[in-house]
Amino acid sequence: MVNHKLCVTENEVPVSPLKLREIKKGPLKAQCDNVRNTILELKAYLEKQYNDSGKQFDTSRELKDWLADVADRHLHKEKYMLLDKQRKERERAAQEKARKDSRATLMKIVNSYVDDAINGRILRDGKRVSKGTIANYKQTRTRLNRFLQAQGKQDYDTDELTEQWYNKLVSFLYAQGMVLNTIGAVVKGIKLMLRQRLPLAQRATCEFIQTGKCKVLREEVNNIYLNEEQLAYMASYPFTGHLKKVRDQFLLMCWTGCRYSDLHKLTDVNIHSTKDGANRYFEIEQQKTGAVVAIPIIPEIEPILNEYAQEPPKPISNQKFNNYIKVVCQELAATPEGEELGYNDDFVKERTKNAEKETETQKIYEVVSAHTARRSFATNMYRRDMPVPLIMSITGHTTEKTFFTYIKEDPREGRERMVENYFKLRDHEQTINI
């Protein structure tokens, strides 16, 4: 009777038992011995794996599949080593992706911070940040997005925010036509958001926020102010229509130090009297900072309030106001008195642009704006020798460093005033001693 069962040689070629006996007698005996040894070794290996595994199989089919898998892994180690290597690489890649996804990145922080500010989830002294501050945050985000687009990036890990990255950002912003102080505002905004939101574990490796690195750029810019003689002439000039209203609003800011965003608050409802009833003052909450300030109603303000029955005209848009106040000053510059007072003088403005100092010459009336009024108040009150802390309490400045950037006194005038104050103080002390 013929046995139709087949055997398998070491090279996996199926042969009949008869042929296998012939092979064993011939020159391939050594090969057959190797096959037998391999089978015995595999049997021992499978028995050990089975006993060590402690597995229980419900069906013979499950056992057969398990043994086939274990045997295949044992006989083809290189294939499974490669598969294991590929699996581990995939796992490492997945872990790295998960790590990166869980890390705070630049735009994750910026987007969440700006969105939280917009939705009222960022508070200062228990109050929402102002619309102006939110506008600055949004502008910083827009400029960052443009930078990312130019770099062909979607985001940056915070470890990538090095001094080299900072220099690229500054160079890009210069190329966009921004001046140094505007660039400084962008850098300041990014630092603020990172310091507020960057997890502690990532701070040590974020070079951008480390002390002494990636500095907030800022330079003192020579801006104008209008002195008391110029303001008195402006008040006396017979403007009519919308120019008269703009002139009066400008003067109100010049004598109160308020920002344009707070101009609409200078009305009867916010006027209070001192306990003795002798003097009046505005009490308003500043829109930008949320600080509550008291602003004395000095004699220069009274005629304007009386003109409008304590309810000055409602402000127009800031842009229109800035355009109209330039027209007001241009009309004054066209008069002999206005020219003599300096309304038609040249003003040379110096600032850093494209990493180089640039100068621009314009007429005084061309650079006057709503903010000139606030600067004029601070400087004129300072020249009146009003104590700096008192002026700061009116303007809402919290540091003298910031406050003194508003003082635009001529250096020679400042020296002369200090000398005069010295002799006044000396004469006062001598009078007391007498």
Side-chain angles (χ1 to χ4, degrees):
M1 185 173 179
V2 180
N3 186 351
H4 295 286
K5 290 185 178 180
L6 297 178
C7 297
V8 180
T9 60
E10 187 178 23
N11 58 3
E12 299 185 355
V13 177
V15 297
S16 66
L18 182 60
K19 183 67 175 175
L20 184 61
R21 283 196 297 272
E22 292 176 1
I23 291 173
K24 289 181 179 179
K25 295 177 182 178
L28 296 178
K29 183 176 184 303
Q31 186 176 350
C32 292
D33 291 340
N34 288 338
V35 171
R36 182 169 52 254
N37 292 336
T38 299
I39 293 172
L40 293 173
E41 180 189 347
L42 178 60
K43 178 185 176 185
Y45 176 78
L46 291 175
E47 288 176 348
K48 184 177 186 308
Q49 290 296 311
Y50 178 77
N51 293 330
D52 291 346
S53 71
K55 289 181 177 293
Q56 298 293 328
F57 298 96
D58 296 331
T59 65
S60 60
R61 180 68 183 179
E62 290 180 1
L63 173 61
K64 182 179 178 181
D65 290 344
W66 183 82
L67 289 171
D69 181 63
V70 174
D72 193 50
R73 287 178 176 276
H74 181 68
L75 294 172
H76 305 97
K77 292 185 176 69
E78 290 184 359
K79 180 182 77 171
Y80 283 94
M81 285 177 63
L82 177 61
L83 291 174
D84 283 345
K85 181 180 179 182
Q86 292 172 344
R87 177 183 55 79
K88 289 177 181 178
E89 287 176 351
R90 288 195 300 270
E91 288 176 353
R92 279 195 296 269
Q95 290 172 357
E96 180 64 17
K97 183 178 184 302
R99 185 188 72 84
K100 287 184 176 181
D101 289 345
S102 65
R103 279 176 65 84
T105 61
L106 173 63
M107 294 313 297
K108 280 183 184 178
I109 290 174
V110 170
N111 286 328
S112 69
Y113 195 92
V114 175
D115 291 343
D116 284 350
I118 293 171
N119 294 311
R121 292 191 289 268
I122 294 179
L123 305 178
R124 288 183 180 173
D125 299 324
K127 299 176 182 178
R128 294 185 176 191
V129 294
S130 68
K131 291 181 180 179
T133 300
I134 292 173
N136 290 337
Y137 292 160
K138 290 168 71 175
Q139 195 170 52
T140 296
R141 178 166 65 178
T142 298
R143 287 166 174 165
L144 261 179
N145 280 324
R146 289 174 184 165
F147 173 65
L148 287 169
Q149 187 177 7
Q151 299 297 313
K153 300 274 287 185
Q154 291 185 338
D155 203 350
Y156 280 99
D157 189 276
T158 55
D159 287 356
E160 298 178 277
L161 307 184
T162 62
E163 282 200 274
Q164 183 180 5
W165 179 88
Y166 163 80
N167 290 331
K168 284 184 179 179
L169 174 65
V170 171
S171 297
F172 170 79
L173 296 176
Y174 268 134
Q176 296 291 299
M178 297 179 197
V179 297
L180 187 139
N181 282 347
T182 303
I183 296 172
V186 174
V187 173
K188 182 180 179 181
I190 299 171
K191 281 180 175 281
L192 168 70
M193 297 178 201
L194 288 173
R195 284 171 175 161
Q196 291 285 331
R197 295 289 173 91
L198 191 61
L200 186 62
Q202 292 180 233
R203 289 177 177 269
T205 54
C206 182
E207 195 171 319
F208 186 77
I209 63 170
Q210 292 176 10
T211 304
K213 294 188 176 181
C214 306
K215 294 182 178 179
V216 174
L217 303 173
R218 182 171 178 79
E219 65 180 346
E220 189 64 34
V221 179
N222 54 326
N223 289 307
I224 68 162
Y225 83 100
L226 300 183
N227 61 40
E228 295 197 34
E229 291 77 14
Q230 290 171 319
L231 295 178
Y233 180 61
M234 179 186 288
S236 68
Y237 194 82
F239 288 106
T240 59
H242 66 280
L243 292 184
K244 179 181 184 300
K245 291 179 181 180
V246 168
R247 183 271 311 273
D248 292 341
Q249 290 172 326
F250 183 78
L251 290 173
L252 266 179
M253 292 188 291
C254 284
W255 297 119
T256 61
C258 79
R259 298 179 180 87
Y260 193 74
S261 58
D262 294 323
L263 179 59
H264 67 283
K265 299 177 182 178
L266 302 183
T267 61
D268 184 56
V269 70
N270 290 321
I271 294 178
H272 303 268
S273 298
T274 55
K275 289 182 179 180
D276 59 8
N279 298 290
R280 302 192 303 162
Y281 62 94
F282 292 108
E283 186 173 275
I284 65 171
E285 180 181 314
Q286 293 181 327
Q287 181 175 308
K288 181 177 181 179
T289 64
V292 177
V293 296
I295 304 172
I297 297 178
I298 60 177
E300 289 83 356
I301 299 176
E302 292 287 4
I304 302 173
L305 293 178
N306 294 335
E307 173 79 14
Y308 297 97
Q310 314 300 309
E311 293 287 338
K314 292 182 179 180
I316 55 179
S317 72
N318 199 324
Q319 183 177 358
K320 285 185 178 179
F321 181 90
N322 286 335
N323 291 337
Y324 288 149
I325 195 60
K326 287 175 173 60
V327 176
V328 166
C329 293
Q330 187 175 13
E331 284 199 22
L332 297 176
T335 66
E337 297 88 342
E339 186 168 9
E340 184 177 347
L341 287 170
Y343 274 106
N344 199 38
D345 287 356
D346 288 336
F347 172 70
V348 179
K349 187 170 187 175
E350 295 182 352
R351 58 185 181 180
T352 301
K353 193 173 182 181
N354 296 324
E356 295 182 357
K357 279 284 186 182
E358 289 188 0
T359 59
E360 183 179 5
T361 302
Q362 294 175 284
K363 293 294 184 181
I364 291 290
Y365 61 78
E366 292 179 312
V367 295
V368 173
S369 68
H371 206 64
T372 305
R374 184 168 161 83
R375 200 176 295 115
S376 298
F377 172 82
T379 302
N380 288 325
M381 294 302 106
Y382 182 74
R383 293 182 67 188
R384 284 188 181 185
D385 297 324
M386 181 183 286
V388 169
L390 179 56
I391 305 175
M392 289 174 61
S393 71
I394 296 172
T395 60
H397 287 108
T398 55
T399 66
E400 287 192 0
K401 180 180 179 180
T402 304
F403 169 76
F404 275 106
T405 64
Y406 277 70
I407 304 303
K408 300 303 173 184
E409 186 176 47
D410 178 83
R412 181 176 179 81
E413 290 180 357
R415 291 192 293 270
E416 290 178 355
R417 189 175 54 78
M418 289 182 67
V419 172
E420 289 174 0
N421 286 339
Y422 168 78
F423 287 113
K424 284 181 183 179
L425 181 61
R426 187 196 64 179
D427 293 344
H428 178 67
E429 289 177 345
Q430 289 176 348
T431 302
I432 292 175
N433 293 333
I434 292 174

